Amino acid sequence: MPRSLLILGGTGFVGPALAAEGLARGWAVTTFTRGQRPTSGENVERLHGDRTQPGAMAALVARDWDLVLDTWSGAPRVVRDSAQALTGRAGGYVYISSGSVYAPPVALGVSEDARTVPGSPDAEAGEYAACKRGAELAVLAAFGARALILRSGLILGPGEDVGRLPWWLARMARGGEVLAPGPPDLGLQMIDCRDLAAFALTAGGAGVAGPLNTVSHAGHATMRSLLEACREVAAPPGTELRWLAPAAVHAAGIEPWIELPIWIPPGHEASALHAADVTRAHVAGLRCRPVSETVRDTWAWLESLPGRPPARADLPALGLDPERERAALRAAG
């Protein structure tokens, strides 16, 4: 009999990757969603319900599950109720959390033992980091040594609904002179959604427990390797990368991460996002594909869409206005 996998959610960016990985391994995959968006993948059992409401878990607690995967980012109370309901029905519970739970200022090389932001498993609302931390505490309280907390960082890949890599690919497709924020050898830390999904099932299925920083090694990619991969697959002939030093980008008033997605200049308060200690996850079996493969497959996915790519309504629009880009390049000479 195949192992049973319950995905709480399953319609957003990471969810379909989790479902696809489970199916590829021959698991019996069930998703539990509110039915607001379609769930990709054939042979997936789709159950609908709103777990923010009392009694919504009734159909799930009548069955046994080998593994539960949860990506919830809202009120921790929802994860608390789900984990408590399933504690006697599931072999393990994997929660997709975030490196955002670390309390600022976050040191370069931050490990899983670092101080976190305050969080409550009973909270009804809160900021993203506090909600993720509260949900972590909820899962740990319910499942203890059967709880695996994956603190992901920058997640890229096909299906991305945040818009970071899609923006760079769309920018390359416009051609011309592209503002490339330096230094070119700036190390990046990221994970393809498919590698995150594979590790969630591998580690969760093997009983790995506790929090793990779940991203590539620091420097797995650089700004140069990322942007050159984007240019290779998406740009028309003659597209030029114009590298600007961080000081020149700052002088132009361009905001890292938001206007220039993925990029965080050296010395920035958020630099630890690309410099976490990932020893534990990689010892446990995490493997990350080359950034060129992530870029290639994301571009293929974008080209396959009938319209604009999906975008999360709860996040600001990303990317640099073309006129601001041209002005910065002119000012830099």
Side-chain angles (χ1 to χ4, degrees), residues 66-323:
D66 289 302
L67 192 64
V68 177
L69 299 177
D70 192 347
T71 65
W72 184 262
S73 297
R77 186 268 303 170
V78 175
V79 176
R80 178 203 66 193
D81 293 349
S82 300
Q84 287 178 351
L86 291 166
T87 186
R89 289 295 190 177
Y93 199 112
V94 180
Y95 180 63
I96 309 297
S97 187
S98 168
S100 298
V101 301
Y102 293 117
V106 184
L108 300 180
V110 62
S111 76
E112 295 86 349
D113 301 320
R115 186 170 59 93
T116 61
V117 299
S120 169
D122 305 318
E124 293 285 352
E127 295 187 355
Y128 177 79
C131 284
K132 280 293 191 183
R133 179 54 181 159
E136 288 187 358
L137 294 171
V139 175
L140 290 167
F143 276 80
R146 295 180 293 136
L148 175 60
I149 309 298
L150 301 185
R151 291 176 177 163
S152 58
L154 174 63
I155 307 174
L156 303 176
E160 186 194 335
D161 56 3
V162 180
R164 296 186 180 107
L165 184 52
W167 183 83
W168 277 113
L169 286 163
R171 173 61 194 92
M172 293 295 173
R174 296 204 314 266
E177 289 189 329
V178 178
L179 193 162
D185 62 352
L186 180 67
L188 305 177
Q189 206 167 28
M190 61 187 64
I191 188 165
D192 189 295
C193 61
R194 297 164 295 180
D195 297 331
L196 176 59
F199 182 64
L201 267 69
T202 295
V208 177
L212 296 177
N213 291 335
T214 312
V215 282
S216 68
H217 289 290
H220 175 76
T222 63
M223 284 304 300
R224 184 191 301 278
S225 67
L226 173 72
L227 296 189
E228 289 187 346
C230 290
R231 180 173 62 175
E232 180 177 345
V233 300
T239 301
E240 177 185 357
L241 297 179
R242 282 278 308 278
W243 291 98
L244 264 60
V249 178
H250 178 74
I254 295 172
E255 186 177 0
W257 192 249
I258 300 299
E259 290 188 284
L260 291 172
I262 299 173
W263 179 68
I264 297 176
H268 191 276
E269 62 183 4
S271 291
L273 179 68
H274 288 310
D277 181 347
V278 294
T279 302
R280 295 181 190 178
H282 286 263
V283 167
L286 176 62
R287 298 294 181 267
C288 295
R289 70 193 67 205
V291 68
S292 58
E293 183 177 334
T294 298
V295 168
R296 181 197 67 207
D297 293 348
T298 302
W299 179 243
W301 164 71
L302 289 169
E303 287 199 300
S304 73
L305 298 176
R308 298 174 63 86
R312 286 178 50 177
D314 60 330
L315 295 176
L318 302 178
L320 182 59
D321 176 79
E323 182 49 45

